[in-house]
Amino acid sequence: ETGVTQTPRHLVMGMTNKKSLKCEQHLGHNAMYWYKQSAKKPLELMFVYSLEERVENNSVPSRFSPECPNSSHLFLHLHTLQPEDSALYLCASSQDWPWDRGGYTEAFFGQGTRLTVV
Amino acid sequence: GQNIDQPTEMTATEGAIVQINCTYQTSGFNGLFWYQQHAGEAPTFLSYNVLDGLEEKGRFSSFLSRSKGYSYLLLKELQMKDSASYLCAVLDSNYQLIWGAGTKLIIKP
């Protein structure tokens, strides 16, 4: 059983569709993250949840809507996306957030969902 | 602004040594991470440096110079499975992770 599991692995959706990405972690971590990874660009942090509360929202368009029903699950709801939203969406978790409690805490990533918006 | 620079792509030969550099300009510094990401896979943690110097972990070593805003990842005895992207990330003064765009390493027989 892997630490962080994302489904689906691949998703093709039209601009008028609504879909959701799912992330599940079995590591007992308190923090979960959504990242966007575009080709040849740095990872972009989208959202951070700590103890099921959203603590970061980095100017992400409202067409992306996160949900964290419990400490093990994280969703990213998608609607009316644009072609430029096509990317790899990565979920990650770490023991705690923020990391200023006396030391780093490495992030564990899922394999990502490859999203294509047509 | 904050910036992490690393080469886009590097090529090396199986069995050789390669050094992947990372330079950073960030608002504060609370540590530097290296992650490995195989194509279509999750990034996986390789190393964390917060003090100057070299940290060795098997075939991989990571070096940090805070005064120069510089780090490198050294891979020895390269194997074909080392073909991957290597991501450098810095934890800034607000404990935000700033990521580089990654270096794609191609290993040739």
Side-chain angles (χ1 to χ4, degrees):
Chain A
E1 176 178 86
T2 57
V4 182
T5 305
Q6 288 187 244
T7 54
R9 291 292 307 276
H10 300 274
L11 178 63
V12 179
M13 60 185 288
M15 289 189 284
T16 58
N17 291 160
K18 289 185 180 181
K19 296 285 184 183
S20 295
L21 310 184
K22 180 182 176 182
C23 175
E24 190 172 352
Q25 58 100 357
H26 305 282
L27 300 168
H29 287 169
N30 295 319
M32 296 186 76
Y33 313 79
W34 279 116
Y35 280 93
K36 177 183 179 183
Q37 187 176 35
S38 302
K40 299 184 180 181
K41 289 186 178 179
L43 282 172
E44 299 174 46
L45 180 64
M46 301 175 72
F47 301 102
V48 180
Y49 276 81
S50 177
L51 298 172
E52 302 160 41
E53 282 191 31
R54 190 192 306 182
V55 292
E56 286 279 322
N57 177 359
N58 288 349
S59 303
V60 179
S62 59
R63 57 186 184 269
F64 295 92
S65 174
E67 179 191 0
C68 186
N70 55 60
S71 60
S72 299
H73 293 86
L74 186 65
F75 294 90
L76 188 63
H77 303 300
L78 316 171
H79 65 96
T80 58
L81 294 191
Q82 304 298 311
E84 60 265 28
D85 296 323
S86 297
L88 182 68
Y89 288 85
L90 290 164
C91 174
S93 72
S94 64
Q95 187 60 58
D96 291 300
W97 188 95
W99 295 347
D100 58 348
R101 297 179 185 175
Y104 81 94
T105 169
E106 70 184 81
F108 291 79
F109 286 83
Q111 291 180 300
T113 295
R114 174 68 62 187
L115 174 68
T116 303
V117 181
V118 297
Chain B
Q2 308 207 84
N3 195 47
I4 309 283
D5 286 313
Q6 46 181 138
T8 304
E9 187 173 297
M10 299 181 70
T11 302
T13 305
E14 190 177 15
I17 299 173
V18 71
Q19 177 175 310
I20 303 175
N21 295 325
C22 171
T23 57
Y24 61 89
Q25 301 90 38
T26 56
S27 56
F29 178 85
N30 280 298
L32 185 144
F33 294 83
W34 284 97
Y35 277 80
Q36 180 190 59
Q37 185 178 23
H38 286 100
E41 300 293 325
T44 54
F45 170 80
L46 287 178
S47 67
Y48 170 73
N49 293 68
V50 67
L51 299 176
D52 289 350
L54 187 69
E55 297 268 348
E56 297 187 71
K57 195 184 291 186
R59 294 189 297 113
F60 291 11
S61 303
S62 57
F63 171 84
L64 175 68
S65 169
R66 288 172 296 172
S67 62
K68 295 181 179 178
Y70 168 70
S71 172
Y72 67 72
L73 182 68
L74 190 71
L75 292 73
K76 302 177 184 176
E77 301 168 17
L78 286 170
Q79 302 175 10
M80 297 303 293
K81 67 179 182 180
D82 297 329
S83 292
S85 287
Y86 291 86
L87 311 179
C88 173
V90 171
L91 207 55
D92 72 6
S93 57
N94 294 318
Y95 291 88
Q96 301 291 324
L97 258 185
I98 311 300
W99 293 85
T103 298
K104 182 179 180 181
L105 178 63
I106 299 168
I107 309 296
K108 295 187 174 180

